[in-house]
Amino acid sequence: MVTGKDTLTIALSKGRLAEQTLDLLQAAGYDTSCARSGSRKLILEDEKAGLRFILAKPADVPTYVEYGAADIGVVGKDTLLEEGRRLYEVLNLGFGACRMCVAGPAWMAGKLDGIPNKRVATKYPRIAREYFELKKRESVEIIKLNGSVELAPLVGLSEVIVDIVESGRTLRENGLEVLETIADVSARMVVNRVSLKMKSERIGALVAAVRAEMARTGVKG
Amino acid sequence: MGDWRFHTPDGVQDGLPDDCARKRAIESALRAVFAARGYLEVETPGLEFYDVYATGRGLAPQEALFKLFDSQGRILALRYDGTVPVARLAATLMKDEEPPLRISYVGGMYRSAGAGGGKQSEFTQAGVELMGPRTAEADAEVIATAIAAARAAGVESLQVAVGQVEFFKALLEEWGLSEEDAEPLPGLIDAKETLALEEIADRTGLPAAAREALLLMASFEGTFDTLDRMEALTRSPRALAALRNLRDVLRLLEEDGLLRYVSVDLGMLQSLDYYTGIIFKGFTYGIGFPVLSGGRYDNVVAEFGRALPSTGFSLGVNLVMAALRRQGSVPPKAGPDTLFGYDPSVRARAMAFVAQERAGGRAVAVDVQRRSAPELRAEGARRGVARVLYMDAEGTVR
């Protein structure tokens, strides 16, 4: 909990994002071998380097960081928007890029605003609610689903969906298309608000090293 | 229906003896710091009319107030913070008191849905308000008091980030952005989302200096050089005055030898409707939330009908306790320092002896089960009380 003045705890989003993050940190000059042992441990520590990685479910990464259980986290912007935690968002790492969209049957294109009392199926109830209620000033019914959201409009559970779109292939194969884009999302490095003050030198050095590596490989962060 | 009788509601906690003893000790230390600086403690009610917090643009978010109704159907709110009730007090019962008013408080605050510091619904805050003077000296005095308070509460590694919200407000005015473009800026700067800020700067065609100022505010390498660089990026007299005020406060803190606790963060932009100048937050290891926060709020007392520019801070006692625990400081065992038993035939003498001991500052627990000396010593060993005394039938204490 922002303890150990000498340890920097980094929360990684389990899966491909964790791999990409470790690759980036390795390239930026950090020894990440402790996190690549392939074990099933959830905490991977390099005591000598004062570096500790924790592997968490992506949706939980912002929580670990907000409470200070991790100083730094790497997580998708979609998760950050959905969780709405109070964090510093210091870097856009560029990878994991996709779009948060409103999607629905093709005939709805350009007619979305004319459909009253829409039902919106989504894994991201908060993002959907904020988009429709705050930005479009429209009351909608949010239906929370946990996966295969594309199914909802096909079986009449909802008129539209709010979901992450990478290539758009799943949508097309199910006769849906992007109607509106809510936000561009990609992996972000977030920092706990206290950690940034209490461990400013180490965190500053890490951010600078990652930024330099991204500049070298031509990623705009 | 669930059976909740064994539970406490979300966000509230029982305080067991060891923790409670430490908490009282911290509160006493804080009261001593405040009193030594001339702050007078007041007690405001645990219940306020909802209107107290709903005044103006809202002094507290509606959804975080615990609300109930009185017998006439009026909406009440549990005390949400220390400052707003004190502001009400300063403008009503204390309206004839000449400024400066130096007021302190220690008390429980209530915020629903875990909106309080450290996600608690009930927590204790201790703080001061310095009301009347609109000077850098007043701002520095309050920050110095906050540092002294945190130190007295046992916080060793303390970092206080100091910002200036008036500076940002003045820049906004200088840039002349539309309300729509300006609206997301404080949140984005506060979260240090530089990329989104760049996008807005590009889209609105902000001049280069304004763009640089925006990104500098959001950068997290905020040091004293930041102020020099900022000065070159604005021509607004209002913004420059705000920077000068921040410099003056920092210089005063330097003279007091407190600069080692202080850093600059012009990107702290929270509660912009509430704060009007210097704003600060204090951090330590062991807890992911600031343990203290404060700043200048020149327009709050005016909501209650008295123009009284003010500055103040509050410290979260529970947050400090959590931080101390996680920093490895275990509260000392609470309990009496003496266990005392006696032969029933000499009760009067025994009680006189106990009264004497207590007058001498001892915390004496007296046996009420007529236990023998050996039984009592066993009890002392079990409870970790080293001093066990017994008065025998002859009146001898051993």
Side-chain angles (χ1 to χ4, degrees):
Chain A
M1 305 297 281
V2 200
T3 35
K5 299 171 198 191
D6 312 317
T7 308
L8 211 53
T9 303
I10 303 176
L12 301 175
S13 301
K14 261 191 210 167
R16 207 167 120 219
L17 211 51
E19 295 303 318
Q20 287 169 306
T21 307
L22 290 170
D23 290 346
L24 180 59
L25 285 172
Q26 185 77 39
Y30 287 81
D31 180 6
T32 59
S33 51
C34 73
R36 297 171 186 272
S37 54
S39 81
R40 308 194 71 170
K41 277 195 192 158
L42 297 173
I43 300 180
L44 304 146
E45 189 159 8
D46 183 343
E47 267 179 55
K48 257 207 329 247
L51 216 52
R52 186 160 72 153
F53 294 96
I54 61 179
L55 285 171
K57 219 178 143 186
D60 295 335
V61 167
T63 311
Y64 281 98
V65 179
E66 188 191 28
Y67 279 81
D71 300 303
I72 297 176
V74 174
V75 63
K77 178 70 177 173
D78 52 326
T79 310
L80 289 173
L81 288 171
E82 182 59 27
E83 291 292 312
R85 301 278 173 180
R86 290 180 46 78
L87 305 161
Y88 288 134
E89 196 178 310
V90 296
L91 277 180
N92 181 351
L93 300 177
F95 48 77
C98 45
R99 285 182 299 162
M100 183 66 69
C101 294
V102 182
W107 66 265
M108 277 188 195
K111 297 184 192 140
L112 194 57
D113 290 341
I115 304 166
N117 302 320
K118 277 191 279 292
R119 292 168 301 167
V120 182
T122 184
K123 280 191 282 184
Y124 303 93
R126 183 187 173 119
I127 294 175
R129 193 170 291 284
E130 287 195 350
Y131 181 69
F132 281 102
E133 292 185 352
L134 294 181
K135 203 148 180 191
K136 294 174 73 93
R137 301 192 176 226
E138 180 186 346
S139 298
V140 292
E141 185 184 337
I142 306 285
I143 299 172
K144 165 86 163 77
L145 294 178
N146 294 297
S148 304
V149 181
E150 298 82 3
L151 198 52
L154 303 181
V155 296
L157 178 62
S158 74
E159 277 70 43
V160 292
I161 63 172
V162 165
D163 205 11
I164 286 285
V165 178
E166 216 172 324
S167 65
R169 202 178 130 204
T170 317
L171 288 181
R172 276 193 304 276
E173 287 185 359
N174 289 289
L176 302 175
E177 69 179 51
V178 171
L179 302 173
E180 285 172 7
T181 298
I182 298 176
D184 291 315
V185 304
S186 57
R188 306 294 159 99
M189 181 177 284
V190 293
V191 179
N192 173 272
R193 288 178 170 251
V194 177
S195 300
L196 193 60
K197 306 289 180 198
M198 299 305 292
K199 301 180 180 178
S200 58
E201 268 175 41
R202 283 200 72 185
I203 293 175
L206 185 135
V207 171
V210 170
R211 197 179 271 153
E213 172 59 21
M214 284 165 54
R216 197 180 64 77
T217 53
V219 184
K220 186 173 156 52
Chain B
M1 207 163 62
D3 182 352
W4 301 112
R5 75 188 132 150
F6 303 113
H7 305 279
T8 55
D10 291 346
V12 304
Q13 289 172 339
D14 293 314
L16 292 171
D18 293 355
D19 272 332
C20 200
R22 171 179 263 189
K23 190 170 177 204
R24 292 294 169 264
I26 289 174
E27 287 167 1
S28 301
L30 293 171
R31 284 193 166 96
V33 168
F34 299 161
R37 290 166 173 260
Y39 290 89
L40 305 178
E41 185 170 349
V42 297
E43 198 172 80
T44 65
L47 286 170
E48 294 276 353
F49 278 117
Y50 172 74
D51 292 359
V52 168
Y53 285 109
T55 178
R57 296 184 69 172
L59 296 174
Q62 175 174 186
E63 62 273 19
L65 287 168
F66 273 108
K67 290 173 279 291
L68 52 161
F69 300 96
D70 73 1
S71 55
Q72 297 172 56
R74 293 175 295 194
I75 311 173
L76 309 177
L78 292 194
R79 181 174 50 214
Y80 174 88
D81 75 337
T83 302
V84 170
V86 167
R88 173 182 57 70
L89 206 56
T92 54
L93 292 183
M94 297 177 84
K95 67 175 187 303
D96 296 328
E97 302 253 345
E98 287 288 318
L101 273 65
R102 288 187 167 85
I103 297 176
S104 73
Y105 59 85
V106 179
M109 309 299 162
Y110 300 85
R111 297 184 189 175
S112 69
K119 308 278 175 197
Q120 294 296 300
S121 294
E122 181 188 42
F123 51 98
T124 302
Q125 283 190 335
V128 305
E129 317 296 344
L130 177 47
M131 313 176 106
R134 213 175 153 224
T135 60
E137 281 81 357
D139 290 316
E141 144 90 10
V142 164
I143 296 176
T145 306
I147 293 172
R151 305 270 301 144
V155 176
E156 301 277 341
S157 324
L158 179 71
Q159 264 307 308
V160 179
V162 183
Q164 229 294 3
V165 300
E166 166 70 5
F167 174 67
F168 171 75
K169 292 179 187 177
L171 286 187
L172 264 194
E173 182 191 71
E174 184 184 20
W175 299 342
L177 291 175
S178 73
E179 205 171 306
E180 197 184 331
D181 287 328
E183 199 266 331
L185 289 182
L188 292 173
I189 295 172
D190 195 65
K192 305 197 185 294
E193 291 191 46
T194 44
L195 209 71
L197 290 169
E198 278 174 6
E199 274 165 29
I200 292 180
D202 291 344
R203 184 161 48 74
T204 57
L206 270 188
R211 183 194 166 96
E212 194 182 335
L214 196 61
L215 296 175
L216 196 54
M217 260 188 284
S219 81
F220 58 92
E221 296 95 357
T223 61
F224 297 97
D225 323 334
T226 317
L227 298 185
D228 298 331
R229 287 173 62 192
M230 272 301 185
E231 214 145 60
L233 298 175
T234 174
R235 294 226 179 102
S236 152
R238 191 180 154 202
L240 290 168
L243 273 187
R244 209 172 313 119
N245 164 252
L246 179 52
R247 268 186 204 284
D248 289 343
V249 171
L250 293 171
R251 185 175 42 75
L252 291 166
L253 291 170
E254 184 174 20
E255 282 173 18
D256 297 344
L258 296 174
L259 215 48
R260 66 200 155 106
Y261 296 111
V262 173
S263 61
V264 177
D265 186 354
L266 284 169
M268 276 195 302
L269 295 176
Q270 287 152 36
S271 314
L272 288 186
D273 287 340
Y274 185 94
Y275 288 115
T276 53
I278 293 285
I279 172 174
F280 60 96
K281 284 182 189 301
F283 308 93
T284 184
Y285 292 107
I287 185 127
F289 305 93
V291 291
L292 64 87
S293 74
R296 174 161 287 284
Y297 53 98
D298 284 345
N299 304 327
V300 173
V301 189
E303 295 285 350
F304 301 96
R306 182 179 184 184
L308 200 63
S310 303
T311 171
F313 86 95
S314 70
L315 176 144
V317 176
N318 310 65
L319 294 174
V320 165
M321 289 180 54
L324 292 178
R325 207 175 303 121
R326 289 182 197 138
Q327 287 170 15
S329 155
V330 180
K333 191 106 190 77
D337 53 38
T338 306
L339 267 187
F340 179 79
Y342 56 94
D343 188 286
S345 66
V346 291
R347 185 166 191 279
R349 280 172 71 186
M351 288 304 121
F353 174 80
V354 167
Q356 217 175 20
E357 284 278 295
R358 286 175 179 158
R362 291 280 185 182
V364 185
V366 177
D367 175 53
V368 290
Q369 295 160 273
R370 302 194 169 195
R371 280 180 291 191
S372 67
E375 280 171 341
L376 219 54
R377 286 190 215 293
E379 160 99 3
R382 206 163 50 240
R383 290 188 182 274
V385 182
R387 194 163 176 262
V388 179
L389 301 177
Y390 188 86
M391 184 180 279
D392 62 20
E394 278 76 53
T396 314
V397 176
R398 274 175 294 127

